């Protein structure tokens, strides 16, 4: 499996981060983060002041030394946080890189002539080349199947060990470089040059090589820079106010105050939060093409969900036998089961199972083609033996069935079966239509069963096939609704069926008999109403809608066109994951907001620590502001700076993991986060600074 | 503190609440153009001035018109003040106003600050008072209201940067709001005995037998717009402490009501125009919280008085005949409660009229007016300026708190993104940059220190107050600082311009940017801007941003002064 789950503090990643963080001290790198750049400059100035103190043997060298060290730690810790987040991506990238193929490929001069091939190294392939891959071959690059059908092991990309079928034409034609053909052969047209393949792009994305600041991140950086400038002004002018008052705080002390006031906590963790958000998606096997799309996911108002596979289990299942008057339900069940025995479709299987569960009618032995079937078998009752001939489903007859000697059984759409009965001069009972209609109204599919037993055929009754809504999906939609997200079900079913399923699943709206054009119209309508739309898709005809949607998650099993159009790719091809994607987007933004609030709220305590300490010599009465009763001015200032540095380390797990997220209305989330990060941010430093102060004193560091 | 004092404060707070809605509805009708009872006059003005009243201006054009109007009217005032000795309506033959003071006064009145480094009764001719200063009292208020309405339009509309027509807003605000209300208020004032006269100055014999010249003048008409437009420039040097300018407790109450009336009503206009009345009330609620907190501290501190007085054997107990507390610098006819209230009101709103001397307040009592201004003049604030100021704070609140609910922050459906945060931060930065830099320089430069009347922390408070008052376009003075020097005239004059226009332009840009955005549909996931928790957040952001910015400076000023007073030292 390519994308592995890693513990938060994976020792190799931590080691690498501790090392990489030094490299990030370069001013050219630091200047991208204005808040931490100010700390860097402050640390350098404090170090200069320290050097001066040592040379001139003036001032308190021990104090300035500790101050300088902790200021450097502050910068370093912030870099560690970023390196940690990047390290997780790099580790993913390394394991992906291992799957990149350097094998030889068989390039075809002429795609129709399989013997025209010549072996070339995979990196030499260019867009438009044709290659032939046989069983056991690694597919040399991204491409489209132009000929052949084969089972392919895509576990290198998806982590899913079950092989998938890839064939030319339709929605299953895309193959990814690095995957392996298990059986049969494929002719593939290469669609990506080396370095531009899916895996290459994934590596770049998870590694953060192409990471650009997202819009929200830029806005937040501006806010933080603004605050930094304000505090820079406050501290710089404090020097002259102090001079007016007859006090002379040293430059290192002013820098300490400045560093404590500017939002270093969020400033230091901001990029880590962004990178970790992308990483969390990757942990869910979703690759986001940009950080922007992750943010957009948090803003989504409307989810378009395909019915099949997302809301319902893939297939319809039999839930009820409804005989027409004059026929016993057992007889209907028996005949329906008999007619379904050779039917390998999930619907057919479910009829067999239902008959067995409800009436104890055993499945009978079967083999391919012609077989001996025991009929009339109750428990322990020997049935008759028959030769059975299968009548498979076809688009023209829209029926399937079985012929056993004189006994002919048919099941299928009501009009198709009725026609068959009439054609054989049978009579369709008037009671059939209301039953069929009732089932359709409930969102089910009516399957009419008829038999012809050596004479005129007659209708036995109806099997109610039903879409089975996935367990727990209703609760998920309720949670989404609480978050203010509307769910819209997309289905090809008729409106009647769609409405019934929509009601059962608890979606807010549905689009029945959906065509790609209607889907597009729906998205545009939602967007013009000021809503952001997320959807999943896999087919080529989904591509325009995927591109139009604000968040388009393409299934990895889908076509190349769909993958190009979406801004995320789900490697597991699980449409339900859209909900998790939205949650991760929200969590990302919440983490930023929570830490910003925390960072600003912290300042109050730091003022009470540092300001009285700075002016105690001039105005002893200001000790009244020393509400924490800190030991001395030196211990107070150091404690505040140490707290400020350590809090960054302490919050790295939170930044990487994200704040706890529970779906709830905005007002509830806000109240909870304000309580934890606002009030907590206000109070925690009072305790933290006091504890550090006591420790400093007991360790005789001041 | 007395029950009588609190009930006066309570009555005032209630009366403001009562007029908010009716006046707010009227303002909405004025600015959407549906009030037309002076239409012929209005149309005539447009025709004479060549204004295309149908034009919907892009924010850049709106801001350009605003700046042009302000610059031109400021220049005119400068010229009139410089030449008033040759102009008519000057029975006392006043000299020309000196250049630095003329500049400062022109800047100060154009920016709705009305900081005065001169005595009105000895410096200004009636012509200057009535054509220039009174004109600015109307015009600067109308400009402020226009800018606020433009911002609200930007929030409410989706109009590709178009936020209304400055000339129309200016005209309608003056014609339909300020002129009629001033007329009404002036009549109320005159009824209470405020003077309105061109009669020569009177010479009277005082009880002690000394001769005293009593300055006269058309006071009531000036006084009405001075309060209503949160201008605050006094006709007399003593401002509203002068018996001719504020004769009775009733004129005192009408004055304070006039100061808060339009700023309060504008919050109703906000709610109405953005189609979320509860949001309007929420903004007003935040203003009320900050206002009541301020007046409580000021009243408590003044009523508590000075411990040093008590230790010297002075009777500071509050009885039926003795106000108790700190009466220094207060008028006996107003007492402690309404002096503290007036000081809070005049600094909450950037009015700057005073009925007592803030310089003589106790350190904490004096801290309240100073901090009120430093919070950014957003607690009611100047007419218009208060609303757009607090809306910028709302944008910041929404941005910080909005992230916490897991969405790109949006304010009433408009996403707050890079450009909006940029403009909001620019707006917020101007204030501390101007106040702190100029105060910091003045605290160490000779020119700054030369004007100080008091040493120590109190002197620092005086410097801080002067620059805060001018940057905040408040105009009230802590007194004690001699402002009529080249140093202070120039810097304070400049400061008023920075505090007005350097903030207005990014604010109008913000309005333009917001109007370019499509409105995102509201849902349960949207950050609510009309709940008590939003009010609490808004208050917290205003206090934290303001307090964090100025706390170090204040610690060395009023705060340390307070502790020193407790320890028995005064300055």
């Amino acid at each position: 499996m390519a994308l592995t789950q890693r513990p938060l503090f994976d020792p190799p990643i931590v080691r690498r981060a501790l090392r990489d963080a030094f490299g990030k001290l370069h001013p050219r790198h630091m200047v991208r983060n204005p808040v931490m750049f100010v700390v860097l400059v402050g640390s350098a100035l404090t170090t200069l002041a320290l050097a001066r103190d040592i040379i001139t043997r003036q001032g308190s060298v021990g104090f300035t030394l500790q101050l300088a060290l902790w200021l450097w730690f502050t910068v370093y810790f912030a870099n560690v946080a970023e390196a940690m987040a990047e390290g997780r991506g790099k580790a993913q990238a390394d394991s992906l890189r291992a799957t990149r193929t350097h094998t030889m490929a068989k390039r075809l001069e002429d795609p129709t002539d399989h013997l025209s091939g010549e072996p070339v190294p995979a990196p030499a392939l260019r867009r438009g080349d044709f290659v032939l891959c046989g069983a056991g071959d690694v597919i040399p690059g991204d491409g489209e199947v132009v000929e052949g059908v084969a089972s392919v092991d895509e576990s290198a990309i998806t982590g899913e060990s079950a092989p998938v079928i890839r064939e030319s034409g339709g929605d299953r034609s895309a193959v990814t470089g690095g995957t392996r053909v298990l059986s049969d052969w494929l002719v593939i047209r290469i669609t990506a040059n080396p370095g531009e393949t899916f895996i290459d792009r994934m590596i770049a994305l998870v590694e953060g090589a192409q990471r650009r600041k997202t819009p929200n991140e830029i806005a937040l950086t501006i806010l933080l820079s603004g605050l930094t400038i304000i505090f820079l002004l406050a501290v710089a002018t404090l020097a002259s106010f102090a001079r007016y008052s007859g006090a002379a705080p040293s430059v290192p002390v002013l820098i300490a105050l400045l560093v404590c006031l500017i939002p270093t906590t969020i400033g230091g963790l901001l990029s880590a939060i962004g990178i970790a958000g992308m990483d969390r998606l990757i942990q869910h096997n979703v690759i986001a093409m940009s950080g922007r799309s992750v943010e957009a996911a948090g803003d989504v108002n409307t989810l378009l969900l395909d019915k099949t596979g997302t809301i319902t289990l893939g297939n319809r299942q039999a839930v009820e036998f409804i005989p027409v008057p004059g026929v016993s339900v057992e007889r209907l069940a028996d005949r329906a089961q008999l007619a379904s025995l050779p039917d390998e479709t999930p619907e057919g299987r479910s009829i067999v199972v239902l008959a067995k569960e409800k009436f104890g009618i055993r499945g009978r032995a079967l083999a391919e083609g012609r077989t001996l079937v025991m009929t009339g078998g109750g428990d322990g009752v020997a049935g008759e033996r028959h030769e059975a001939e299968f009548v498979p489903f076809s688009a023209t007859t829209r029926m399937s069935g079985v012929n056993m000697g004189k006994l002919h059984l048919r099941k299928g759409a009501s009009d198709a079966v009725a026609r068959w009965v009439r054609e054989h001069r049978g009579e369709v009972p008037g009671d059939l239509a209301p039953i069929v209609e009732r089932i359709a109204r409930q969102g089910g599919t009516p399957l009419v069963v008829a038999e012809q037993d050596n004479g005129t055929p007659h209708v036995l009754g109806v099997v109610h096939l039903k879409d089975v809504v996935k367990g727990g999906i209703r609760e998920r939609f309720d949670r989404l609704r609480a978050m203010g997200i509307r769910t819209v079900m997309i289905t090809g079913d008729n409106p009647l069926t769609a409405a019934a399923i929509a009601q059962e699943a608890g979606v807010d709206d549905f689009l029945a008999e959906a065509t790609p054009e209607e889907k597009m119209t729906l998205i545009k309508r939602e967007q013009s109403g000021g809503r952001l739309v997320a959807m999943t898709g896999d087919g080529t005809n989904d591509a325009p809608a995927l591109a139009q949607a604000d968040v388009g998650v393409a299934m990895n099993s889908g076509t190349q066109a769909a993958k190009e159009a979406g801004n995320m790719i789900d490697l597991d091809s699980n449409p339900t994951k859209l909900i998790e994607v939205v949650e991760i987007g929200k969590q990302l933004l919440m983490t930023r907001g929570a830490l910003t609030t925390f960072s600003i709220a912290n300042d109050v305590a730091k003022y009470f620590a540092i300001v009285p300490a700075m002016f105690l010599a001039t105005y002893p009465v200001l000790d009244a502001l020393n509400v924490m009763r800190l030991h001395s001015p030196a211990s107070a200032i150091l404690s505040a700076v140490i707290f400020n540095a350590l809090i960054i380390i302490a919050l790295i797990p939170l930044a990487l993991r994200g704040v706890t997220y529970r779906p709830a209305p905005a007002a509830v989330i806000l109240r909870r986060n304000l309580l934890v990060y606002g009030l907590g941010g206000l109070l925690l430093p009072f305790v933290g600074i006091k504890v550090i102060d006591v420790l400093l004193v007991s360790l005789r560091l001041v | 503190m007395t029950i009588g004092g609190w009930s006066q404060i309570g009555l005032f707070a209630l009366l403001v609440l009562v007029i908010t809605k009716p006046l707010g509805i009227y303002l909405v009708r004025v600015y959407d153009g549906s009030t037309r009872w002076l239409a012929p006059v209005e149309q005539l003005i447009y025709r004479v001035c060549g204004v295309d009243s149908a034009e919907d201006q892009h924010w850049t054009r709106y801001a350009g018109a605003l700046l042009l109007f302000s610059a031109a009217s400021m220049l005119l005032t400068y010229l009139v003040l410089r030449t008033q000795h040759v102009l008519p309506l000057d029975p006392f033959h006043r000299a020309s106003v000196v250049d630095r003071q003329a500049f400062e006064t022109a800047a100060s009145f154009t920016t709705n600050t009305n900081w005065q480094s001169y005595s009105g009764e000895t410096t200004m001719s009636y012509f200057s008072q009535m054509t220039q200063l009174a004109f600015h009292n109307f015009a600067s208020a109308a400009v402020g209201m226009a800018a606020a309405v433009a911002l609200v339009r930007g929030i409410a509309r989706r109009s590709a940067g178009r936020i209304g027509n400055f000339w129309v807003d200016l005209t309608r605000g003056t014609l339909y709001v300020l002129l009629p209300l001033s007329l009404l208020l002036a009549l109320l004032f005159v009824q209470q005995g405020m003077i309105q006269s061109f009669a020569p100055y009177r010479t009277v014999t005082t009880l002690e037998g000394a001769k005293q010249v009593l300055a006269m003048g058309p006071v009531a008409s000036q006084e009405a717009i001075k309060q209503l437009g949160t201008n605050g420039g006094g006709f007399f040097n003593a401002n509203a402490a002068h018996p001719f300018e504020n004769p009775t407790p009733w004129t005192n109450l009408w004055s304070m009501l006039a100061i808060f009336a339009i700023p309060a009503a504008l919050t109703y206009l906000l709610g109405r125009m953005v189609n979320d009345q509860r949001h309007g009330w929420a903004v007003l609620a935040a203003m009320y919280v900050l206002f009541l907190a301020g007046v409580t501290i000021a009243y408590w501190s003044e009523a508590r008085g000075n411990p040093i007085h008590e230790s010297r054997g002075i009777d500071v107990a509050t009885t039926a005949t003795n106000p108790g507390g700190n009466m220094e610098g207060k008028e006996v006819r107003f007492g402690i409660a309404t002096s503290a209230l007036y000081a809070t009101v005049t600094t909450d709103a950037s009015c700057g009229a005073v009925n007592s001397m803030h310089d003589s307040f106790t350190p904490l009592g004096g801290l309240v007016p100073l901090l009120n201004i430093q919070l950014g003049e957003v607690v009611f604030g100047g007419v218009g300026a208060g609303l757009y100021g607090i809306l910028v704070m709302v944008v910041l609140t929404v941005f910080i708190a909005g992230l916490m609910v897991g969405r790109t922050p949006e304010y009433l459906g408009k996403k707050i993104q890079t450009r909006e945060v940029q403009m909001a931060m620019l707006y917020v930065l101007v204030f501390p940059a101007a106040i702190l830099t100029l105060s910091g320089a003045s605290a160490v430069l000779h020119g700054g220190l030369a004007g100080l009347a008091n040493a120590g922390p109190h002197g620092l408070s005086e410097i801080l107050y002067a620059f805060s008052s001018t940057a905040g376009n408040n105009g009230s003075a802590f007194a004690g600082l001699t402002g009529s020097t080249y140093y202070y005239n120039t810097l304070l004059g400049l400061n008023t311009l920075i505090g007005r226009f350097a903030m207005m332009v990014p604010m109008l840009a913000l309005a333009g940017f917001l109007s370019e955005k499509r409105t995102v549909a509201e849902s349960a996931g949207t950050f609510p801007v009309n709940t008590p928790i939003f009010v609490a957040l808004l208050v917290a952001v205003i206090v934290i941003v303001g307090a964090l910015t100025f706390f170090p400076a204040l610690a060395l000023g009023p705060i340390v002064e307070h502790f020193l007073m407790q320890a028995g030292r005064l300055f």
Side-chain angles (χ1 to χ4, degrees), chain B residues 420-445:
Chain B
E420 290 73 33
V421 174
Q422 233 164 12
M423 290 307 123
M425 278 322 280
L426 216 58
Y427 179 96
V428 170
L429 263 174
V430 169
F431 209 55
I435 295 176
L436 287 173
T437 319
L438 294 177
S439 306
S442 302
V444 288
L445 291 179

Side-chain angles (χ1 to χ4, degrees), chain B residues 514-539:
Chain B
L514 284 173
S515 76
E516 286 170 12
K517 303 209 158 226
R518 70 175 189 197
T519 306
V520 179
E522 202 180 322
S523 72
T526 310
F527 172 68
V529 289
N530 50 22
T531 57
I533 202 162
F534 166 74
V535 175
L537 258 171
L538 178 58
V539 169

Side-chain angles (χ1 to χ4, degrees), chain A residues 282-360:
Chain A
I282 292 168
Q283 301 289 330
H284 281 80
N285 268 359
V286 176
I287 305 285
M289 293 303 162
S290 70
R292 186 186 282 259
S293 56
V294 186
E295 264 170 23
D299 292 346
V300 160
N301 304 81
T302 308
L303 288 189
L304 302 190
L305 298 168
D306 279 326
K307 184 197 80 179
T308 307
T310 310
I311 294 169
T312 60
L313 296 171
N315 313 295
R316 286 173 245 252
Q317 297 198 341
V319 289
E320 200 185 356
F321 297 107
I322 308 161
V324 292
V327 179
S328 78
V329 68
E330 286 81 7
R331 188 171 148 78
L332 170 63
D334 178 72
R335 290 306 187 233
Q337 189 190 48
L338 206 51
S340 303
L341 283 175
D343 185 353
E344 291 288 349
T345 64
E347 286 86 355
R349 302 278 90 203
S350 76
I351 294 173
V352 174
V353 170
L354 183 72
K356 181 176 156 193
E357 279 175 356
K358 276 208 162 165
F359 306 104

